[in-house]
Amino acid sequence: MSNVLSLTTFLPILGVLLLLFIPKDSKGVLRNVTLAVTVVTFLVSLIMLSGFQTNAEFQFVENVPWIAAGPFIMRYNIGIDGISLWLVILTTFMMPIAVLSTYTAVEEKVKEYMICLLLLETGMLGAFISLDLFLFYIFWEVMLIPMYFMIGIWGGKNKIYAAVKFFIYTMVGSLLMLVALIFLYFKGMQAGITDFGLLQFFSLKLDMATQIWLFLAFAFAFAIKVPMFPLHTWLPDAHTEAPTAGSVILAAVLLKMGTYGYVRFAIPLFPDAAHKFAPLIATLAVIGIIYAALVAMVQEDVKKLVAYSSVAHLGFVMLGVFAFNVEGISGGMLQMINHGISTGALFLIVGFIYERRHTRLITDFGGLSKQMPIFATIFMIVTFSSVGLPGTNGFVGEFLILLGAFESELRWWTVIATSGVILSAVYMLWVFQRVMFGELDNPKNQKLLDLNAREIAIMVPLLVMIFVMGLYPKPFIDKMDPAIRKLVAQVRVSSVNAQSIPAANQMQMPAGHQGISQMPAAVQGDQMPAGHPGMGSSPVPQPAPAANPHNAK
């Protein structure tokens, strides 16, 4: 099915058109139509998954003319590889769950809320599949608008403050990325590149100074979206004030735009600058891991606690990505999916209890396991997933991240980051203990009803994925592996070529080698010798990287 990507991406827009013809008072019909559209979108995306070939190439590619204005030529150029495949599936998987969670949570302006959800899905899917830089930027901005309205209209008591803060942070980063994108395009035009096609720019040779400035612009925009310390302050406010479905989508998918942006754009476009800034980014990631965990421990609002846990978890993702080896990036990509499932489930759990008690203060609860045993069991499983208990999905991703980072030049950063694993267990198990155990002495808690059939149906798919990915992650890793190996080889070769080293001194990489920590010091270094002419000159021919069956044409 050649147009499966476009069909998956724009089916939610068709749903928006259907909603326009439904009276706003027909709340049940509006919810059911929206749910049906998201379920159909998920089923269509499974066709893409079943037809995906395990190789390093982009698949289901569509590349047609779109805009031509003076020197600017944009094309509708989309496609997926193993890196973006699971993020697309995660998006279509989480959307029906998010819609189903709104059935009793949202009673005002239901029609507008459902339209925002569907527009948001198209924006997120479009960003993951874009192979044209300008098209990516369009979808990147499209995501901002519906989430802004979801927080600002259906949020909590401080919703305006949280929405404006979210908008300002994201927009500042986006504008910097736009300026860098236009500058990069003009650099490409000088080298004979005629449009914004991403793959063409991977081979564009830029001097180190240019790479540094462009990398900083892209990295700043993505760091805000991750969010990385110290640009994370918008996230707890946005999560706390957003409605349950908004928090679920924000945690499960939107935050992955930042980490995905590094893997797809910032690192392969500017590999030498990425290597140069890897220690700084690793330092910020480790600070974020420990700082967010410590702040989470002292939170009185359980939803804000889960929000800070996202900062810590995505710090691990960044550490794995900037290890620049297969284990680290594979762990980072897998942890993006794991975090989407486990943290999305945590926000749903918070939403369930908030609908019943209209409070999120931890001190207002206690002993709920006696009154709500099903809720307590599900909460326990998701808590174990969040802390990375072996057998759950969180363990595999964190283990690969720590393994890859320890094998790289980030060894000491990794040693410090492992404390974050312990701290996450402390704050998650502590909040579970305070909410679920103890005396059931609050009269309001003694009247609570356990989860109903709809709420159990919402959680079952997430629980299944927690155990499937925890016990048998091989299919997920296998689909990503060729694309990740290609990325690692591309970044490593570029870094080697940036050094002024005679060909006779180059080290041939042994087959199957995945780390960079054992490379000679001259190759590992990121400082260019004085007088080096830069990447724009003709470098000394380098030996080809070791043969890899995954990259064979």
Side-chain angles (χ1 to χ4, degrees):
M1 195 170 180
S2 59
N3 297 321
V4 65
L5 271 185
S6 290
L7 184 60
T8 302
T9 303
F10 293 106
L11 263 175
I13 297 296
L14 178 60
V16 170
L17 297 177
L18 291 175
L19 293 182
L20 293 177
F21 294 98
I22 300 175
K24 63 180 181 179
D25 295 331
S26 303
K27 297 179 181 179
V29 177
L30 289 165
R31 295 185 182 110
N32 291 334
V33 169
T34 305
L35 178 64
V37 170
T38 55
V39 169
V40 171
T41 303
F42 173 62
L43 295 176
V44 172
S45 70
L46 293 182
I47 299 175
M48 173 183 59
L49 177 61
S50 64
F52 187 85
Q53 302 296 317
T54 305
N55 59 50
E57 304 305 318
F58 284 92
Q59 302 175 39
F60 308 106
V61 174
E62 300 175 43
N63 189 356
V64 296
W66 179 34
I67 300 174
F72 295 100
I73 299 176
M74 302 84 166
R75 301 180 66 85
Y76 178 72
N77 187 0
I78 60 174
I80 59 169
D81 61 355
I83 292 173
S84 51
L85 169 68
W86 290 116
L87 292 170
V88 171
I89 299 299
L90 174 67
T91 304
T92 59
F93 173 75
M94 292 301 300
M95 285 305 298
I97 294 173
V99 172
L100 202 55
S101 73
T102 67
Y103 271 47
T104 56
V106 177
E107 292 294 339
E108 300 295 329
K109 297 183 174 66
V110 174
K111 182 174 183 176
E112 292 83 353
Y113 191 82
M114 296 302 163
I115 289 175
C116 284
L117 284 174
L118 293 177
L119 289 175
L120 186 58
E121 182 173 16
T122 290
M124 295 185 298
L125 290 172
F128 285 134
I129 67 173
S130 295
L131 297 182
D132 181 278
L133 287 168
F134 188 80
L135 183 65
F136 168 75
Y137 182 80
I138 294 297
F139 281 117
W140 178 274
E141 292 299 300
V142 165
M143 294 183 297
L144 172 63
I145 300 170
M147 181 54 71
Y148 169 77
F149 285 121
M150 288 175 67
I151 298 172
I153 297 176
W154 293 275
K157 61 180 180 180
N158 294 321
K159 57 189 178 182
I160 301 300
Y161 170 78
V164 171
K165 191 173 183 179
F166 164 75
F167 186 89
I168 291 175
Y169 267 71
T170 309
M171 182 58 69
V172 169
S174 299
L175 290 177
L176 282 175
M177 182 171 65
L178 177 62
V179 172
L181 191 153
I182 294 172
F183 183 86
L184 179 64
Y185 179 70
F186 279 109
K187 281 286 186 180
M189 288 178 60
Q190 296 172 9
I193 295 176
T194 58
D195 57 49
F196 279 88
L198 173 65
L199 304 186
Q200 304 173 87
F201 288 94
F202 286 162
S203 59
L204 179 63
K205 303 300 181 183
L206 299 170
D207 61 85
M208 178 60 87
T210 302
Q211 282 203 42
I212 286 174
W213 285 110
L214 293 178
F215 176 82
L216 286 174
F218 274 80
F220 186 76
F222 297 143
I224 291 174
K225 194 69 107 179
V226 170
M228 286 185 65
F229 176 90
L231 303 172
H232 67 284
T233 58
W234 65 269
L235 181 66
D237 293 314
H239 266 315
T240 303
E241 300 304 326
T244 297
S247 293
V248 170
I249 297 170
L250 187 60
V253 184
L254 273 184
L255 302 187
K256 310 307 177 299
M257 294 296 168
T259 48
Y260 172 77
Y262 280 103
V263 175
R264 173 66 75 222
F265 299 97
I267 292 176
L269 285 173
F270 320 111
D272 305 310
H275 277 276
K276 187 176 185 64
F277 284 100
L280 173 61
I281 291 178
T283 300
L284 295 177
V286 171
I287 292 174
I289 291 170
I290 298 174
Y291 165 80
L294 293 174
V295 174
M297 286 184 193
V298 299
Q299 294 305 310
E300 298 179 355
D301 186 320
V302 64
K303 196 173 187 182
K304 188 166 283 190
L305 181 148
V306 177
Y308 275 106
S309 76
S310 290
V311 178
H313 285 303
L314 291 167
F316 278 107
V317 173
M318 292 299 296
L319 189 65
V321 166
F322 278 83
F324 298 123
N325 55 33
V326 173
E327 298 95 337
I329 298 179
S330 296
M333 293 301 304
L334 193 63
Q335 194 65 2
M336 291 186 209
I337 313 301
N338 295 335
H339 174 267
I341 292 171
S342 60
T343 307
L346 282 174
F347 279 116
L348 287 167
I349 287 170
V350 174
F352 294 156
I353 199 68
Y354 180 76
E355 287 182 40
R356 287 163 169 77
R357 286 282 280 107
H358 301 288
T359 178
R360 295 188 297 262
L361 295 179
I362 298 172
T363 53
D364 288 338
F365 301 107
L368 295 191
S369 61
K370 301 179 179 65
Q371 189 71 17
M372 306 173 67
I374 298 176
F375 176 80
T377 302
I378 292 175
F379 192 1
M380 179 185 67
I381 294 171
V382 176
T383 298
F384 288 157
S385 168
S386 182
V387 302
L389 184 75
T392 64
N393 58 334
F395 172 76
V396 182
E398 280 192 358
F399 178 77
L400 287 175
I401 287 171
L402 294 174
L403 179 65
F406 191 79
E407 287 185 349
S408 73
E409 296 175 341
L410 305 178
R411 176 164 298 183
W412 291 111
W413 284 268
T414 310
V415 172
I416 299 172
T418 52
S419 63
V421 178
I422 301 171
L423 293 175
S424 70
V426 171
Y427 65 73
M428 284 305 304
L429 293 176
W430 192 27
V431 71
F432 181 77
Q433 174 198 359
R434 287 182 288 169
V435 172
M436 290 290 107
F437 299 132
E439 294 297 326
L440 186 64
D441 51 9
N442 189 325
K444 294 181 180 179
N445 294 333
Q446 294 171 1
K447 300 177 182 179
L448 293 179
L449 298 177
D450 208 345
L451 299 187
N452 56 40
R454 177 184 62 86
E455 292 167 333
I456 294 173
I458 291 173
M459 298 304 298
V460 165
L462 298 172
L463 298 179
V464 169
M465 292 308 302
I466 284 173
F467 288 113
V468 168
M469 296 186 69
L471 297 174
Y472 191 57
K474 186 176 184 298
F476 300 90
I477 297 174
D478 285 350
K479 293 286 188 183
M480 298 187 247
D481 188 65
I484 291 175
R485 289 181 182 273
K486 182 178 180 180
L487 171 65
V488 171
Q490 175 186 356
V491 174
R492 181 181 299 138
V493 168
S494 178
S495 178
V496 171
N497 287 344
Q499 311 300 321
S500 176
I501 303 176
N505 293 334
Q506 298 292 327
M507 180 184 72
Q508 181 71 23
M509 300 296 292
H513 180 81
Q514 298 170 354
I516 63 173
S517 59
Q518 300 179 11
M519 295 176 70
V523 177
Q524 292 185 36
D526 53 20
Q527 299 297 322
M528 301 183 74
H532 190 279
M535 292 185 65
S537 63
S538 299
V540 178
Q542 307 296 330
N548 190 322
H550 291 291
N551 295 331
K553 300 291 183 185

